Amino acid sequence: MLNAGDTAWVLISAALVMLMTPGLAFFYGGMVRAKSVLNMLMMNFIALAIVGVLWVLFGFSLSFGDDAFGGLVGNFDYAGLSDAFGKLVGLASAGPPAVPWPGPDALPLLAFCMFQLMFAIITPALISGAIADRAKFWGWTLFVTIWVIVVYFPVAHWVFSFDGFTGKDSVGGWIANQLKALDFAGGTAVHINAGAAGLALALVLGKRKGWPKDTGRPHNVPFVLLGASLLWFGWYGFNAGSALAANDLAAVAFTNTTVATAAAVLGWLVVEQLKFGKPTTLGAASGAVAGLVAITPACGFVSPIGAIAIGLIAGVLCALAISLKFKFGFDDSLDVVGVHLVGGIVGTLLIGFFGTTSVNSLGADGLFYGGGFTQLGRQALAAGAVLAYSFVLSFIIGFVIKKAGGFRVSTEDEVSGIDEAQHAESAYDFTGTGGGLGHPSTIPVKSTPAAKLEESKA
C-alpha cells in the first residue's frame, strides 16, 4: 500500500538534492579565476542535462534493474521507464505476521527513480573541481556521458540496489547484499567514486600553467560560502531522504548531518589557525563540505556523539589532506581529492568503529560497540573496490579523450580565459563605465590572509 507521507518526503528530498548541483556550481565557481567561472558553472549545470536523459533511457535500469551479472550491473527491464507508471517499490517487513511485498512503506517507483537520479547527477559534477581552469567544455561533456554509463551506473548497482526492493524476487548489487558493507547515502558510490575519478583526471590533464607557484586564488569567496550553504541545505535531502520514509531514522540522519558538519567546520578552522595563523572563510566552507561528505555513509548508522567524532576527524584530516597535491605534484584545482576522496574514505571506514545497531537494527556494531573488526574489514573492501574501479576507468576514458585532442584547452586559451574561448561569454563586464577598473589582471592585488595562506600551501 502506498504511503503518502513517505512519498511526499522522498519527492521533497529529491528536489533538495537537485538544488545541490547548482549549489556545487557556486561553491566551485567562487574558487576559480574570474575568467573561468562560467566554464565551471556550465561543467556542473550540463550534468543535469546529460544524466537526466541517460537515466530515463537506461541508467536507472542498469543501476536498479534486476541483477544481470554477478551483482555487477542491472538489466534493461526499466529502460525508458515505459512500465514504471503505477508501480510500487519497497521492502516487505519480516513479520510476524508476514506482510505482502512491498510492505507498508511502499513508494511509487518514479519517486524513488527521481530521488536516485539526483545522486547520479551530482556525482560527475563533483569531479569537475579537480580539473578547473583547463578543460574543454565538450570534452568534459563527452567524459561525463561515458563515465556515468561505465562507472556510476554499475557502482550505484553495487552499493544502492538491495535484494527485494524493486521486486519481490529482485536481486541487487554485491556490495549491498553479499559483502554487506554499509553506505547510507553515498560515501562510496558518490564521494569515493568522484574523488578517485578527480584524481585520475588531474593526472591525465596535467598541471595548470604556472602551478604550483600560481595557485589561482578564489575570485569570489562569498560565492563559495553561498554554494556551501546551499549544499548543506540540500544535503538534508541527500542524507535524511535516504531513509526513504518520514520516520525516526530520517530524523537521526538529519541530526547526524547537522552535528557532524558543525564539528568538521571547527576541526578545519583549528587546523588553519595552528598551521597558518588565521581561520579563513574558505576554510569554514571547505570544512562544512568535508563534514557533509564524511557523515554521508554513516548518518543512518551512528549516534549523534559518533557523528560529532566523525565530523571532527574528517575536518582535521581533510584540512591536512589538501596539501598532499603539493607534496605529490598533482594539480587538483579545487581539492576534490582532499575533501571528497579522503572525506568519503574517512566516513566509510569510521562506520566500522562508530556503527551501532541501537540506532539502526539493519546496520552493524562497530569496534567501539563490541562488533570487532568484521564490519571495518567490509567497509575497507567496499571503499577500495570503488576507488580502484573508478580510478582505472576514469584514467582510461580521460586519456583517450585527451589523446583525441578533445579535453585540455590550449595554453593560449587557458591564459586568456576559458569563458571567452569556450563559451564566448564573460561573467563580469570589466570594460563598462561603472567603476572603470579595467581588466582584473591590471588591478594590483594586496597581500591578504587568503593570499598568504595559498602561498604557504605552495
PDB file of all heavy atoms in Angstrom, residues 215 217-218 221 272 278-282 446-457:
ATOM      1  N   THR A 215      48.708  29.468  -7.662  1.00  0.00           N
ATOM      2  CA  THR A 215      47.655  28.531  -7.290  1.00  0.00           C
ATOM      3  C   THR A 215      46.265  28.987  -7.712  1.00  0.00           C
ATOM      4  O   THR A 215      45.306  28.223  -7.600  1.00  0.00           O
ATOM      5  CB  THR A 215      47.654  28.302  -5.765  1.00  0.00           C
ATOM      6  OG1 THR A 215      47.497  29.555  -5.107  1.00  0.00           O
ATOM      7  CG2 THR A 215      48.949  27.639  -5.333  1.00  0.00           C
ATOM      8  N   ARG A 217      44.037  32.080  -6.831  1.00  0.00           N
ATOM      9  CA  ARG A 217      43.211  32.356  -5.663  1.00  0.00           C
ATOM     10  C   ARG A 217      41.729  32.463  -6.031  1.00  0.00           C
ATOM     11  O   ARG A 217      41.385  32.864  -7.137  1.00  0.00           O
ATOM     12  CB  ARG A 217      43.662  33.652  -4.986  1.00  0.00           C
ATOM     13  CG  ARG A 217      45.070  33.600  -4.426  1.00  0.00           C
ATOM     14  CD  ARG A 217      45.284  34.686  -3.383  1.00  0.00           C
ATOM     15  NE  ARG A 217      44.825  35.987  -3.827  1.00  0.00           N
ATOM     16  CZ  ARG A 217      45.551  36.830  -4.550  1.00  0.00           C
ATOM     17  NH1 ARG A 217      46.763  36.472  -4.952  1.00  0.00           N
ATOM     18  NH2 ARG A 217      45.084  38.000  -4.877  1.00  0.00           N
ATOM     19  N   PRO A 218      40.834  32.128  -5.101  1.00  0.00           N
ATOM     20  CA  PRO A 218      39.393  32.250  -5.360  1.00  0.00           C
ATOM     21  C   PRO A 218      39.034  33.678  -5.751  1.00  0.00           C
ATOM     22  O   PRO A 218      39.479  34.640  -5.121  1.00  0.00           O
ATOM     23  CB  PRO A 218      38.761  31.877  -4.020  1.00  0.00           C
ATOM     24  CG  PRO A 218      39.776  31.056  -3.318  1.00  0.00           C
ATOM     25  CD  PRO A 218      41.106  31.594  -3.748  1.00  0.00           C
ATOM     26  N   VAL A 221      34.877  34.784  -2.837  1.00  0.00           N
ATOM     27  CA  VAL A 221      34.670  33.962  -1.642  1.00  0.00           C
ATOM     28  C   VAL A 221      33.210  33.959  -1.184  1.00  0.00           C
ATOM     29  O   VAL A 221      32.718  32.928  -0.715  1.00  0.00           O
ATOM     30  CB  VAL A 221      35.630  34.399  -0.511  1.00  0.00           C
ATOM     31  CG1 VAL A 221      35.352  33.615   0.768  1.00  0.00           C
ATOM     32  CG2 VAL A 221      37.078  34.186  -0.942  1.00  0.00           C
ATOM     33  N   GLU A 272      43.671  25.316  10.443  1.00  0.00           N
ATOM     34  CA  GLU A 272      44.143  26.538   9.778  1.00  0.00           C
ATOM     35  C   GLU A 272      44.812  27.485  10.772  1.00  0.00           C
ATOM     36  O   GLU A 272      45.856  28.079  10.468  1.00  0.00           O
ATOM     37  CB  GLU A 272      42.963  27.253   9.109  1.00  0.00           C
ATOM     38  CG  GLU A 272      42.550  26.663   7.776  1.00  0.00           C
ATOM     39  CD  GLU A 272      41.653  27.591   6.992  1.00  0.00           C
ATOM     40  OE1 GLU A 272      40.949  28.417   7.612  1.00  0.00           O
ATOM     41  OE2 GLU A 272      41.641  27.494   5.758  1.00  0.00           O
ATOM     42  N   LYS A 278      45.600  31.982  10.818  1.00  0.00           N
ATOM     43  CA  LYS A 278      44.346  32.660  10.512  1.00  0.00           C
ATOM     44  C   LYS A 278      43.279  31.637  10.127  1.00  0.00           C
ATOM     45  O   LYS A 278      43.536  30.751   9.316  1.00  0.00           O
ATOM     46  CB  LYS A 278      44.527  33.629   9.334  1.00  0.00           C
ATOM     47  CG  LYS A 278      45.412  34.834   9.586  1.00  0.00           C
ATOM     48  CD  LYS A 278      44.728  35.852  10.473  1.00  0.00           C
ATOM     49  CE  LYS A 278      45.491  37.169  10.482  1.00  0.00           C
ATOM     50  NZ  LYS A 278      46.868  37.054  10.948  1.00  0.00           N
ATOM     51  N   PRO A 279      42.071  31.760  10.686  1.00  0.00           N
ATOM     52  CA  PRO A 279      40.944  30.968  10.179  1.00  0.00           C
ATOM     53  C   PRO A 279      40.308  31.709   9.008  1.00  0.00           C
ATOM     54  O   PRO A 279      40.087  32.925   9.080  1.00  0.00           O
ATOM     55  CB  PRO A 279      39.994  30.915  11.382  1.00  0.00           C
ATOM     56  CG  PRO A 279      40.256  32.197  12.112  1.00  0.00           C
ATOM     57  CD  PRO A 279      41.711  32.546  11.874  1.00  0.00           C
ATOM     58  N   THR A 280      40.013  31.014   7.912  1.00  0.00           N
ATOM     59  CA  THR A 280      39.501  31.683   6.715  1.00  0.00           C
ATOM     60  C   THR A 280      38.072  31.280   6.409  1.00  0.00           C
ATOM     61  O   THR A 280      37.597  30.214   6.824  1.00  0.00           O
ATOM     62  CB  THR A 280      40.367  31.347   5.487  1.00  0.00           C
ATOM     63  OG1 THR A 280      40.214  29.955   5.163  1.00  0.00           O
ATOM     64  CG2 THR A 280      41.838  31.648   5.751  1.00  0.00           C
ATOM     65  N   THR A 281      37.397  32.147   5.675  1.00  0.00           N
ATOM     66  CA  THR A 281      36.049  31.851   5.213  1.00  0.00           C
ATOM     67  C   THR A 281      36.058  30.643   4.288  1.00  0.00           C
ATOM     68  O   THR A 281      35.174  29.782   4.356  1.00  0.00           O
ATOM     69  CB  THR A 281      35.462  33.064   4.474  1.00  0.00           C
ATOM     70  OG1 THR A 281      35.572  34.218   5.308  1.00  0.00           O
ATOM     71  CG2 THR A 281      33.997  32.842   4.114  1.00  0.00           C
ATOM     72  N   LEU A 282      37.062  30.591   3.418  1.00  0.00           N
ATOM     73  CA  LEU A 282      37.196  29.449   2.519  1.00  0.00           C
ATOM     74  C   LEU A 282      37.371  28.159   3.312  1.00  0.00           C
ATOM     75  O   LEU A 282      36.813  27.109   2.956  1.00  0.00           O
ATOM     76  CB  LEU A 282      38.388  29.657   1.585  1.00  0.00           C
ATOM     77  CG  LEU A 282      38.653  28.565   0.539  1.00  0.00           C
ATOM     78  CD1 LEU A 282      37.487  28.449  -0.424  1.00  0.00           C
ATOM     79  CD2 LEU A 282      39.954  28.843  -0.204  1.00  0.00           C
ATOM     80  N   LYS A 446      46.494  43.263  -3.151  1.00  0.00           N
ATOM     81  CA  LYS A 446      47.201  43.370  -1.881  1.00  0.00           C
ATOM     82  C   LYS A 446      47.413  41.991  -1.274  1.00  0.00           C
ATOM     83  O   LYS A 446      46.700  41.055  -1.585  1.00  0.00           O
ATOM     84  CB  LYS A 446      46.395  44.249  -0.918  1.00  0.00           C
ATOM     85  CG  LYS A 446      46.273  45.700  -1.376  1.00  0.00           C
ATOM     86  CD  LYS A 446      45.497  46.516  -0.353  1.00  0.00           C
ATOM     87  CE  LYS A 446      45.387  47.958  -0.808  1.00  0.00           C
ATOM     88  NZ  LYS A 446      44.618  48.778   0.174  1.00  0.00           N
ATOM     89  N   SER A 447      48.368  41.899  -0.427  1.00  0.00           N
ATOM     90  CA  SER A 447      48.646  40.622   0.227  1.00  0.00           C
ATOM     91  C   SER A 447      47.626  40.409   1.340  1.00  0.00           C
ATOM     92  O   SER A 447      47.699  41.038   2.388  1.00  0.00           O
ATOM     93  CB  SER A 447      50.062  40.619   0.792  1.00  0.00           C
ATOM     94  OG  SER A 447      50.347  39.393   1.386  1.00  0.00           O
ATOM     95  N   THR A 448      46.669  39.564   1.083  1.00  0.00           N
ATOM     96  CA  THR A 448      45.593  39.271   2.033  1.00  0.00           C
ATOM     97  C   THR A 448      45.907  37.989   2.796  1.00  0.00           C
ATOM     98  O   THR A 448      46.768  37.203   2.382  1.00  0.00           O
ATOM     99  CB  THR A 448      44.266  39.094   1.292  1.00  0.00           C
ATOM    100  OG1 THR A 448      44.389  37.954   0.439  1.00  0.00           O
ATOM    101  CG2 THR A 448      43.935  40.318   0.455  1.00  0.00           C
ATOM    102  N   PRO A 449      45.207  37.742   3.923  1.00  0.00           N
ATOM    103  CA  PRO A 449      45.398  36.457   4.616  1.00  0.00           C
ATOM    104  C   PRO A 449      45.161  35.261   3.717  1.00  0.00           C
ATOM    105  O   PRO A 449      45.889  34.277   3.796  1.00  0.00           O
ATOM    106  CB  PRO A 449      44.370  36.524   5.752  1.00  0.00           C
ATOM    107  CG  PRO A 449      44.222  37.998   6.027  1.00  0.00           C
ATOM    108  CD  PRO A 449      44.342  38.665   4.680  1.00  0.00           C
ATOM    109  N   ALA A 450      44.138  35.364   2.831  1.00  0.00           N
ATOM    110  CA  ALA A 450      43.868  34.260   1.928  1.00  0.00           C
ATOM    111  C   ALA A 450      45.028  34.029   0.963  1.00  0.00           C
ATOM    112  O   ALA A 450      45.409  32.897   0.661  1.00  0.00           O
ATOM    113  CB  ALA A 450      42.576  34.499   1.151  1.00  0.00           C
ATOM    114  N   ALA A 451      45.606  35.158   0.484  1.00  0.00           N
ATOM    115  CA  ALA A 451      46.730  35.032  -0.441  1.00  0.00           C
ATOM    116  C   ALA A 451      47.940  34.410   0.262  1.00  0.00           C
ATOM    117  O   ALA A 451      48.616  33.541  -0.288  1.00  0.00           O
ATOM    118  CB  ALA A 451      47.107  36.413  -0.971  1.00  0.00           C
ATOM    119  N   LYS A 452      48.200  34.853   1.480  1.00  0.00           N
ATOM    120  CA  LYS A 452      49.325  34.279   2.220  1.00  0.00           C
ATOM    121  C   LYS A 452      49.092  32.810   2.499  1.00  0.00           C
ATOM    122  O   LYS A 452      50.027  32.013   2.485  1.00  0.00           O
ATOM    123  CB  LYS A 452      49.499  35.046   3.537  1.00  0.00           C
ATOM    124  CG  LYS A 452      49.983  36.473   3.357  1.00  0.00           C
ATOM    125  CD  LYS A 452      50.091  37.177   4.701  1.00  0.00           C
ATOM    126  CE  LYS A 452      50.581  38.614   4.537  1.00  0.00           C
ATOM    127  NZ  LYS A 452      50.631  39.327   5.833  1.00  0.00           N
ATOM    128  N   LEU A 453      47.837  32.448   2.768  1.00  0.00           N
ATOM    129  CA  LEU A 453      47.509  31.045   3.026  1.00  0.00           C
ATOM    130  C   LEU A 453      47.823  30.194   1.819  1.00  0.00           C
ATOM    131  O   LEU A 453      48.435  29.132   1.920  1.00  0.00           O
ATOM    132  CB  LEU A 453      46.032  30.921   3.411  1.00  0.00           C
ATOM    133  CG  LEU A 453      45.515  29.507   3.705  1.00  0.00           C
ATOM    134  CD1 LEU A 453      46.262  28.918   4.880  1.00  0.00           C
ATOM    135  CD2 LEU A 453      44.018  29.548   3.992  1.00  0.00           C
ATOM    136  N   GLU A 454      47.396  30.660   0.619  1.00  0.00           N
ATOM    137  CA  GLU A 454      47.668  29.895  -0.583  1.00  0.00           C
ATOM    138  C   GLU A 454      49.163  29.799  -0.850  1.00  0.00           C
ATOM    139  O   GLU A 454      49.684  28.763  -1.260  1.00  0.00           O
ATOM    140  CB  GLU A 454      46.961  30.537  -1.797  1.00  0.00           C
ATOM    141  CG  GLU A 454      45.458  30.377  -1.806  1.00  0.00           C
ATOM    142  CD  GLU A 454      45.035  28.924  -1.925  1.00  0.00           C
ATOM    143  OE1 GLU A 454      45.815  28.137  -2.505  1.00  0.00           O
ATOM    144  OE2 GLU A 454      43.974  28.577  -1.437  1.00  0.00           O
ATOM    145  N   GLU A 455      49.884  30.895  -0.599  1.00  0.00           N
ATOM    146  CA  GLU A 455      51.330  30.886  -0.813  1.00  0.00           C
ATOM    147  C   GLU A 455      52.013  29.906   0.141  1.00  0.00           C
ATOM    148  O   GLU A 455      52.940  29.175  -0.229  1.00  0.00           O
ATOM    149  CB  GLU A 455      51.900  32.291  -0.611  1.00  0.00           C
ATOM    150  CG  GLU A 455      51.465  33.267  -1.730  1.00  0.00           C
ATOM    151  CD  GLU A 455      51.810  34.703  -1.382  1.00  0.00           C
ATOM    152  OE1 GLU A 455      52.409  34.919  -0.298  1.00  0.00           O
ATOM    153  OE2 GLU A 455      51.475  35.609  -2.167  1.00  0.00           O
ATOM    154  N   SER A 456      51.535  29.862   1.401  1.00  0.00           N
ATOM    155  CA  SER A 456      52.159  28.951   2.361  1.00  0.00           C
ATOM    156  C   SER A 456      51.892  27.502   2.023  1.00  0.00           C
ATOM    157  O   SER A 456      52.707  26.633   2.276  1.00  0.00           O
ATOM    158  CB  SER A 456      51.648  29.268   3.774  1.00  0.00           C
ATOM    159  OG  SER A 456      50.257  28.992   3.869  1.00  0.00           O
ATOM    160  N   LYS A 457      50.708  27.224   1.419  1.00  0.00           N
ATOM    161  CA  LYS A 457      50.411  25.858   0.984  1.00  0.00           C
ATOM    162  C   LYS A 457      51.367  25.420  -0.120  1.00  0.00           C
ATOM    163  O   LYS A 457      51.817  24.283  -0.161  1.00  0.00           O
ATOM    164  CB  LYS A 457      48.962  25.766   0.468  1.00  0.00           C
ATOM    165  CG  LYS A 457      47.907  25.894   1.534  1.00  0.00           C
ATOM    166  CD  LYS A 457      46.533  25.818   0.888  1.00  0.00           C
ATOM    167  CE  LYS A 457      45.418  26.047   1.912  1.00  0.00           C
ATOM    168  NZ  LYS A 457      44.098  26.033   1.260  1.00  0.00           N
TER     169      LYS A 457
END
